[in-house]
Amino acid sequence: MTPEKSQLLDEISDILIDCDLFKKFPAHDIRAVARYFGLSELEEGETVFSEGDIGAFMCIVGSGDISVLKSNLD
């Protein structure tokens, strides 16, 4: 594994450890799960996904704010 890949896994693992969903996972399990995550930076106002999109990924907000807007009242 390259040093860059190892550093990225460390960074993702740290984010997951701080997430309530993963707090009870042992460190080695979090490191294994971290391989399935990536990091993205979004610009203000950028859309992550839209209502009705097929769910193919999971997002965790590591820092900043996000708004959830419901477009269909039904």
Side-chain angles (χ1 to χ4, degrees):
M1 179 181 307
T2 66
E4 294 85 13
K5 181 77 171 175
S6 180
Q7 183 178 359
L8 177 62
L9 284 175
D10 289 344
E11 188 174 348
I12 293 170
S13 295
D14 290 343
I15 292 169
L16 295 177
I17 287 169
D18 288 338
C19 179
D20 287 342
L21 182 63
F22 295 98
K23 278 198 187 280
K24 295 185 179 182
F25 281 62
H28 66 277
D29 286 347
I30 289 176
R31 179 90 175 169
V33 169
R35 296 183 189 308
Y36 296 94
F37 284 81
L39 296 177
S40 298
E41 285 191 30
L42 302 175
E43 297 295 324
E44 185 173 342
E46 191 171 347
T47 300
V48 178
F49 51 84
S50 298
E51 187 172 352
D53 286 353
I54 294 174
F57 62 95
M58 175 181 172
C59 296
I60 296 173
V61 179
S63 65
D65 298 310
I66 192 164
S67 296
V68 178
L69 305 174
K70 178 93 173 119
S71 62
N72 183 343
L73 297 178
D74 294 332

